[in-house]
Amino acid sequence: MLSVSQKAALVSMIFLLVVIGFWEANSQPPKAQEALSEYELLMGGADQEARIPPPSAIAVKAWEELSDPFYDKGPNDKGIGIQLAYSISRVLSGYLLAAFIAIPIGFVIGMSPLMYRALNPYIQILRPISPLAWMPLALFIIKDSETSAIFVIFICSIWPMLINTAFGVASVRRDWINVARTHELSPLRTALTVILPAAAPTILTGMRISIGIAWLVIVAAEMLVGGTGIGYYVWNEWNNLDLTSVIFFDFNDRSGRHVVGPRTQ
Amino acid sequence: MTAHFLQVQDLTKRFSGKNQTPLTVFDKVSFNIDKGEFVCIIGHSGCGKSTIMNTLSGLDSPTSGGVIMDGKEVSGPSLDRGIVFQNYSLLPWLSALDNVRFGVKARWPSWSKAQIKQHSLDYLELVGLKGAENRKPAQLSGGMRQRVSIARAFATQPKLLLLDEPFGALDALTRGVIQDELVKICVKTHQTVFMITHDVDEAILLSDRILLMSNGPNAVIAESVTVDIPKPRQRGDIIKNPGYYTLRNHLVDFLVNRSASSHYKEQTRPLMSNPIKSQLSKEKSEPLAPRSCAVSEILPTGT
Ligand SMILES: Nc1ncnc2c1ncn2[C@@H]1O[C@H](COP(=O)(O)OP(=O)(O)O)[C@@H](O)[C@H]1O
Ligand SMILES: [Mg+2]
């Protein structure tokens, strides 16, 4: 007998084969039924019609790209590894900056009802703004596309961390705070030895949500600012009408996301 | 005025919520505890026992009145008062040893790591938890958690130990084991203890004195009953003590019949009684009433 996970793997494989088979079968260039007219010959045949590339073509492209991920042939032609590295470094710098600011502020908001009430209106107003809506403003103020992309990552990943930290800290059980109080711990020690471990699961959830959003946003941001990164590359290949590359990069984007945030959904 | 170790004077606690009538939990409660004394407080659920304990510990402040311990007014929580909370309040991300170490480190910040660890291990061993020190609270049974909590409180060697229904959630067998351990520890260290319980037998086994609390709201300490059974006591032996049942009946009678009485409302000092002594002296010199207040006729003294 197969275990449940083995069966699941089997079913997954069957689904994959069916989908890929269907895709492959439906994206073959149509066989020319009659001899091509002179006009068609001139235009390069029916093959020229835009069509989603078949999986086999993508596999070939993937092999090509992955076998040499770090080549660098000028600003418009870099290996997938280099593009990915650019994106990851942007995501990480924006994200870490956000964490450094959001977690301490979240702590303060969570611990002090006064600060909660004072800062809550600003959070409620700023949070729903779409991250990409910050882009023009950032470009105008910062005047540097690289920093602007990082800023957009920063602004989109700050909210889940801020809100989760504040919520986690505010809902630490009264009993545990009382344990700290009866042991005469200073506020700083209470924060580090009791509140931080107690709120850690909620804070980590916020961090996970943030990195997921950051990775979603970086692709869009790079499409806008251009230059490097996988978002730019997808856009570039689209402009080159190279759908095979676009699809390859889309899959690659998933794997890239596994690199930065293994447990985002 | 004789200086008692702990003096509770005219303690009143009133909770006044935004849109509810203010609730006076207890009103002008006064009692004293001497050094080395083991005092239990018994009362019906909701009469305000935990609230009194929170006030004694300094976690909560009284509406009026005050608590003086060792000549100093209690104004906030202190390591001089160790607490075993009703729900253990262990930190779930720390192992049993680390929970105890948490207290020891707070008490003696200058100690070396090895010294802190050894001291913590000693106390875990004292409560019979040797070998379970690396387990997290979730991996311990209720009784073991309670023992960790007791070890944490004992290890800081507080001047006053406050126990809030520490055995309430335990099965009878475990409860017996830990009670015996508590007796042993108290005999060894002459610890001053203030303990909340709703178990009459437990109170008799452990205490030098039992405070009886009337029902809330506006609860008071109605009586202070001395337990005249020599210590150390054995669970099996105390029921053979001639005064045991008199005392037990007296307590149960209070809980069942008298705790709701409004007699107590004007009383400011607990009525002192010693059922065992009065019974024994009654047996010896029968018609003469040896004490002004016999057990069966409790009168309010304040008026
Ligand atoms: N924070 C609070 N706010 C309002 N009422 C409270 C609060 N804490 C306790 N009480 C009330 O005080 C009374 C005594 O509670 P408590 O001291 O927990 O009783 P117990 O004797 O069972 O330990 C109860 O009626 C309870 O509802
Ligand atoms: Mg209680």
Side-chain angles (χ1 to χ4, degrees):
Chain A
M1 273 311 285
L2 294 169
S3 74
V4 174
S5 55
Q6 283 169 323
K7 280 184 200 161
L10 198 69
V11 173
S12 287
M13 281 310 291
I14 293 171
F15 275 133
L16 183 69
L17 288 176
V18 167
V19 169
I20 287 190
F22 186 77
W23 179 1
E24 182 79 44
N26 281 283
S27 48
Q28 293 302 329
K31 288 265 163 10
Q33 259 123 26
E34 314 126 37
L36 296 171
S37 69
E38 207 167 322
Y39 173 75
E40 280 170 329
L41 275 172
L42 207 64
M43 299 303 290
D47 204 26
Q48 199 63 317
E49 192 186 321
R51 155 183 342 103
I52 294 177
S56 50
I58 291 166
V60 170
K61 178 76 190 173
W63 178 250
E64 218 171 85
E65 287 284 356
L66 291 177
S67 54
D68 185 14
F70 296 108
Y71 72 89
D72 188 350
K73 298 180 196 151
N76 269 341
D77 195 6
K78 289 184 171 63
I80 181 68
I82 291 178
Q83 303 293 2
L84 206 55
Y86 273 110
S87 294
I88 289 175
S89 74
R90 280 184 194 133
V91 165
L92 285 185
S93 33
Y95 173 78
L96 290 178
L97 197 64
F100 272 115
I101 290 174
I103 293 174
I105 294 182
F107 243 85
V108 172
I109 294 175
M111 285 177 83
S112 148
L114 174 80
M115 291 307 275
Y116 173 80
R117 280 173 202 211
L119 291 175
N120 195 34
Y122 298 107
I123 296 175
Q124 296 309 331
I125 289 171
L126 294 177
R127 187 172 64 119
I129 297 176
S130 163
L132 290 172
W134 288 97
M135 193 56 130
L137 195 63
L139 281 170
F140 177 73
I141 294 174
I142 304 172
K143 297 195 169 62
D144 174 52
S145 63
E146 178 67 29
T147 322
S148 298
I150 292 174
F151 173 77
V152 167
I153 295 302
F154 165 80
I155 205 80
C156 77
S157 47
I158 199 167
W159 307 116
M161 285 194 273
L162 185 67
I163 288 163
N164 271 52
T165 306
F167 175 74
V169 168
S171 49
V172 170
R173 276 176 54 183
R174 196 80 219 136
D175 300 339
W176 299 337
I177 309 268
N178 280 345
V179 168
R181 288 180 64 204
T182 55
H183 287 91
E184 293 185 51
L185 295 194
S186 68
L188 184 67
R189 282 195 70 85
T190 305
L192 292 179
T193 58
V194 177
I195 296 176
L196 186 61
T202 325
I203 297 177
L204 282 179
T205 306
M207 293 176 79
R208 280 219 309 267
I209 296 172
S210 280
I211 195 83
I213 293 177
W215 193 255
L216 291 179
V217 167
I218 191 66
V219 173
E222 284 169 347
M223 282 178 178
L224 284 174
V225 297
T228 45
I230 58 167
Y232 164 73
Y233 220 73
V234 171
W235 199 246
N236 201 26
E237 296 297 339
W238 162 245
N239 284 338
N240 296 343
L241 286 177
D242 186 355
L243 266 182
T244 318
S245 285
V246 172
I247 294 174
F248 164 65
F249 279 122
D250 280 352
F251 281 116
N252 210 68
D253 175 40
R254 287 252 15 129
S255 52
R257 202 188 303 179
H258 284 292
V259 175
V260 259
R263 293 179 61 189
T264 52
Q265 62 283 48
Chain B
M1 192 172 76
T2 49
H4 294 280
F5 173 66
L6 183 85
Q7 299 171 31
V8 179
Q9 289 161 350
D10 294 337
L11 209 62
T12 303
K13 181 72 190 181
R14 193 172 296 122
F15 287 114
S16 40
K18 267 189 216 116
N19 37 18
Q20 68 203 39
T21 51
L23 170 76
T24 306
V25 183
F26 47 84
D27 199 6
K28 291 215 164 68
V29 162
S30 304
F31 60 91
N32 300 313
I33 298 179
D34 286 322
K35 205 155 185 66
E37 223 181 353
F38 196 123
V39 175
C40 274
I41 184 164
I42 294 191
H44 283 287
S45 169
C47 69
K49 305 181 296 293
S50 296
T51 312
I52 285 196
M53 177 158 290
N54 282 344
T55 319
L56 294 195
S57 69
L59 284 170
D60 206 354
S61 55
T63 310
S64 69
V67 179
I68 295 171
M69 189 179 96
D70 224 7
K72 282 191 290 283
E73 170 129 32
V74 170
S75 58
S78 156
L79 278 161
D80 284 338
R81 291 177 292 279
I83 308 179
V84 175
F85 293 95
Q86 195 161 2
N87 52 8
Y88 323 145
S89 292
L90 297 176
L91 303 176
W93 58 89
L94 297 179
S95 67
L97 175 63
D98 286 339
N99 263 291
V100 180
R101 200 146 46 173
F102 180 91
V104 178
K105 207 157 31 181
R107 178 67 158 172
W108 296 283
S110 57
W111 279 15
S112 74
K113 270 203 161 77
Q115 200 174 5
I116 289 174
K117 184 176 180 188
Q118 193 50 50
H119 187 82
S120 309
L121 280 173
D122 288 347
Y123 274 86
L124 274 179
E125 195 177 343
L126 193 72
V127 296
L129 278 182
K130 201 167 190 238
E133 62 262 20
N134 290 323
R135 286 199 238 163
K136 294 272 166 68
Q139 299 162 315
L140 298 170
S141 71
M144 293 162 100
R145 276 179 228 174
Q146 189 56 276
R147 284 189 254 182
V148 176
S149 173
I150 290 173
R152 180 175 66 188
F154 272 86
T156 57
Q157 298 177 346
K159 290 181 185 162
L160 173 66
L161 194 63
L162 300 165
L163 309 171
D164 191 350
E165 299 197 25
F167 314 124
L170 306 184
D171 61 283
L173 210 62
T174 319
R175 185 187 309 193
V177 173
I178 306 182
Q179 280 170 352
D180 291 342
E181 273 159 15
L182 186 61
V183 170
K184 264 187 255 161
I185 294 169
C186 289
V187 166
K188 214 191 278 179
T189 59
H190 304 291
Q191 180 74 49
T192 312
V193 184
F194 180 75
M195 173 167 141
I196 296 176
T197 179
H198 53 229
D199 182 339
V200 169
D201 297 300
E202 177 174 280
I204 299 174
L205 177 71
L206 298 172
S207 19
D208 298 307
R209 206 144 53 82
I210 301 173
L211 302 178
L212 301 179
M213 197 165 173
S214 69
N215 291 357
N218 296 74
V220 292
I221 305 287
E223 272 184 59
S224 162
V225 180
T226 307
V227 181
D228 240 344
I229 299 174
K231 280 184 152 185
R233 301 171 192 148
Q234 293 293 316
R235 183 183 316 284
D237 293 345
I238 56 167
I239 52 168
K240 293 180 203 135
N241 185 291
Y244 179 81
Y245 282 104
T246 323
L247 180 62
R248 192 174 190 285
N249 290 341
H250 181 76
L251 299 177
V252 171
D253 179 52
F254 173 84
L255 289 176
V256 175
N257 299 320
R258 290 180 284 126
S259 61
S261 164
S262 55
H263 273 321
Y264 302 119
K265 297 296 179 208
E266 285 103 60
Q267 185 180 319
T268 52
R269 296 270 154 198
L271 199 58
M272 300 296 191
S273 71
N274 187 339
I276 296 180
K277 201 163 162 196
S278 53
Q279 184 226 13
L280 291 180
S281 40
K282 238 189 262 171
E283 277 169 3
K284 277 180 216 144
S285 53
E286 191 45 47
L288 272 168
R291 287 165 65 89
S292 59
C293 90
V295 172
S296 50
E297 33 169 307
I298 301 299
L299 298 167
T301 52
T303 47

